[in-house]
Amino acid sequence: MRRIRANAIAILTVAWILGTFYYLWQDNKPHTSSPSSASQPRVGDSRSHAGRPDIHRDDSHRTIPLIMTQSPRAEPQQGQLIGSFDEKAYLLGKQLKAGDDPYRDHAFNLAESDRLGSERAIRDTRHYRCASVNYDANLPPTSIIITFHNEARSTLLRTIKSVLMRSPPSLIQEIILIDDFSTDPEDCQLLSQIPKVRCLRNARREGLIRSRVRGAGAASAPILTFLDSHCEVNTDWLQPMIQRVKEDHTRVVSPIIDVISLDNFAYLAASADLRGGFDWSLHFKWEQIPIEQKMSRNDPTLPIRTPVIAGGIFVMDKSWFNHLGQYDTHMDIWGGENFELSFRVWMCGGSLEILPCSRVGHVFRKRHPYDFPEGNALTYIKNTRRAAEVWMDEYKQYYYSARPSAQGKAFGSIAERLTLRRKLNCKSFRWYMENVYPELRIPEQDAVSSVLRQGGLCLESLGADSLGLAECRGTGAIRPQSQRWQLVEPLLRQQDLCLAITAFTAGSKVKMEPCSNKEPRQKWKPKGPALQHMVSGLCLDSQPPAGPPTITQCRSQLASQVWEPQLIT
Ligand code: UD2
Ligand code: MN
């Protein structure tokens, strides 16, 4: 009898544990838009894309079996979507010849892309909570703008068909293709038989920047949506982006960009914890969102602020695009325009965000499959130099240090863009650094030295405990080390020593000690003309005149708290 009861308890316990696991698993489970997606490869194999950072995949999907939780939304019938367009003939018109290298022309596996044909089901990679977010019923329509140069027919057609299949038809006003002087004009022309698709062909190679400006000029909808020519948009990709732009026309929004494998065309979910960043050479990279932001995100459907966008896939209000000066049309072929646009949007009154409930797949490649008439390196330097010269103010010196080869290379006139910046009354790059991208550190060895003047005197340190105001001595290179300061936020350095407070209370002395980025007593930031200790909130004060400097309550314009940095050149 006792054994029976023990068995019953054991069975109940096991059932309870299994039930709990099942419940937790249900809660974590991604939805799928297709039964065939069970054959999708597993994600998590982080691969490096040349010239691009590792794309971190979202591990939460890795070992979870894919199960149908809702019937896929009925996707529109063929005929409705593509009208009389003969897609078979279009695809068969260009076929890989037996023995040809399938990577040669497009830097991805063309045989695999062709095998997939014009459309396929892909896994819905959004967080499951995205499916229950509601959007306005009367969202404004958009013009989709796709520029391409010698794109493969199968990838281009899949891009277009995925848009037609997975967007509410009322939101797609038109799809404008800009054929950037591809070898075969029919690649584009034939596609204009598809309802809503228009084709504009450049009379010469312009590059993606001028091509997009042309496309935007021809657009008739109030909202612009840019896509690369080798994408597949995912379930409900468009509504979240149009909603955000409708609510505030100064927002420029991007989806999470999923990865379409360049080898086998598997559709892989990208991590939802990344934003766009860069280093001083103006090299784009994906980076983790800062930990404080991550901790405060209790709703995975909310937008992620991003310092820069990858560049290819974004939605923007058309009047805002025009008001902000479209693009810098003196940039050629490829590269740099995403920085120029990102700095401009932030500094001139807008914002950039990534919307986790919008997902678009893109084939990331390891090399450019097309030629650069002026050469790849020179073109990238020209474009990024233009971005740095127009937008980065004194911070451009770090760009030149990181990319010494850029010095002296031609970049054309930037007069028009400088006028634009003035006319739009844009903020400084310093503002951008402080408010949008404080995580971008200034390279320490390059930090400029300044003297810190107060009245006619300079802040001087003669050893650890001997700080004070002294007569400013020497000029330029012959300034004494004891009066040279490097403001490498949050540190105030003199070589390996940093200014630190001795206690967190008003009246405490300051001293010099070995630098440590983690030491809260060493953290300072400018507050108007004053230097504020970040943790105590107190300001560096030279009072009393005889004794060593202390920290006191910040008071605006108090003479003994004013420290004027003067660059040593
Ligand atoms: C990324 C962006 C891309 C662009 C670029 C920087 C994504 C997914 N992609 O590079 O949109 O911002 O960074 O400039 O964020 N194209 C032309 N004419 C040309 C060269 C290219 O029309 O002379 C087209 C090309 O066919 C493609 C698009 O421009 O549709 C972007 O080129 P890519 O795919 O080679 O750039 P990608 O994805 O490496
Ligand atoms: Mn691309």
Side-chain angles (χ1 to χ4, degrees), residues 348-405:
C348 311
S351 61
L352 293 176
E353 51 193 38
I354 294 173
L355 304 182
C357 289
S358 177
R359 295 253 181 182
V360 173
H362 168 259
V363 187
F364 287 93
R365 296 180 284 200
K366 294 181 180 162
R367 64 174 172 89
H368 300 287
Y370 40 76
D371 65 309
F372 285 68
E374 313 278 325
N376 178 347
L378 276 184
T379 306
Y380 199 71
I381 282 177
K382 175 183 174 186
N383 294 353
T384 51
R385 253 200 106 164
R386 292 183 67 84
E389 286 288 338
V390 175
W391 296 101
M392 290 173 72
D393 302 331
E394 69 272 22
Y395 292 80
K396 72 185 177 194
Q397 63 174 310
Y398 304 121
Y399 161 78
Y400 288 114
S401 306
R403 213 179 256 282
S405 58

Side-chain angles (χ1 to χ4, degrees), residues 52 147-149 151 180 205 207-208 212 228-230 257 310-313 333-338 362 365 368 370:
R52 302 179 182 86
T147 76
F148 69 94
H149 176 72
E151 182 60 69
D180 189 15
R205 180 87 176 279
L208 72 92
R212 281 187 195 158
D228 272 11
S229 47
H230 32 256
I257 306 181
I313 309 178
I333 307 296
W334 179 98
E337 92 295 340
N338 53 330
H362 168 259
R365 296 180 284 200
H368 300 287
Y370 40 76

Side-chain angles (χ1 to χ4, degrees), residues 263 299 324 352 382 419 421:
D263 295 312
D299 180 352
L324 280 190
L352 293 176
K382 175 183 174 186
T419 309
R421 181 173 166 179

Side-chain angles (χ1 to χ4, degrees), residues 145-205:
I145 296 165
I146 302 171
T147 76
F148 69 94
H149 176 72
N150 287 341
E151 182 60 69
R153 286 188 171 190
S154 51
T155 37
L156 180 57
L157 180 58
R158 257 198 319 278
T159 308
I160 295 168
K161 284 195 74 179
S162 73
V163 168
L164 294 171
M165 278 160 52
R166 303 202 182 97
S167 318
S170 61
L171 295 189
I172 306 294
Q173 174 114 344
E174 62 198 344
I175 299 178
I176 301 177
L177 305 177
I178 299 96
D179 170 4
D180 189 15
F181 200 53
S182 303
T183 315
D184 182 355
E186 288 208 331
D187 289 353
C188 189
Q189 277 160 13
L190 292 171
L191 290 170
S192 56
Q193 293 162 13
I194 301 176
K196 296 193 180 181
V197 175
R198 295 167 59 192
C199 165
L200 308 175
R201 180 172 161 87
N202 290 340
R204 55 172 191 179
R205 180 87 176 279

Side-chain angles (χ1 to χ4, degrees), residues 257-437:
I257 306 181
D258 284 335
V259 176
I260 301 173
S261 160
L262 67 100
D263 295 312
N264 61 13
F265 277 76
Y267 188 102
L268 307 170
S271 162
D273 289 331
L274 300 177
R275 64 175 193 175
F278 58 90
D279 61 22
W280 287 107
S281 70
L282 291 186
H283 172 86
F284 177 85
K285 58 182 182 189
W286 299 105
E287 61 181 32
Q288 291 289 329
I289 56 179
I291 189 79
E292 316 84 66
Q293 275 176 44
K294 209 165 165 173
M295 304 287 274
S296 60
R297 276 177 74 76
N298 46 16
D299 180 352
T301 68
L302 292 180
I304 298 166
R305 266 165 61 98
T306 185
V308 289
I309 52 169
I313 309 178
F314 64 96
V315 174
M316 187 166 180
D317 181 274
K318 189 172 65 185
S319 315
W320 184 236
F321 179 77
N322 289 330
H323 174 78
L324 280 190
Q326 302 171 334
Y327 269 121
D328 178 352
T329 50
H330 291 301
M331 289 187 175
D332 300 324
I333 307 296
W334 179 98
E337 92 295 340
N338 53 330
F339 297 113
E340 197 272 344
L341 177 77
S342 300
F343 299 159
R344 188 154 43 89
V345 167
W346 276 116
M347 289 163 62
C348 311
S351 61
L352 293 176
E353 51 193 38
I354 294 173
L355 304 182
C357 289
S358 177
R359 295 253 181 182
V360 173
H362 168 259
V363 187
F364 287 93
R365 296 180 284 200
K366 294 181 180 162
R367 64 174 172 89
H368 300 287
Y370 40 76
D371 65 309
F372 285 68
E374 313 278 325
N376 178 347
L378 276 184
T379 306
Y380 199 71
I381 282 177
K382 175 183 174 186
N383 294 353
T384 51
R385 253 200 106 164
R386 292 183 67 84
E389 286 288 338
V390 175
W391 296 101
M392 290 173 72
D393 302 331
E394 69 272 22
Y395 292 80
K396 72 185 177 194
Q397 63 174 310
Y398 304 121
Y399 161 78
Y400 288 114
S401 306
R403 213 179 256 282
S405 58
Q407 259 149 19
K409 299 275 164 36
F411 63 96
S413 164
I414 52 168
E416 276 172 37
R417 299 306 279 181
L418 289 173
T419 309
L420 171 80
R421 181 173 166 179
R422 221 168 303 123
K423 196 187 84 197
L424 292 173
N425 206 6
C426 306
K427 298 191 181 81
S428 65
F429 199 76
R430 186 190 170 102
W431 174 90
Y432 173 85
M433 289 288 292
E434 285 172 356
N435 295 280
V436 181
Y437 203 11

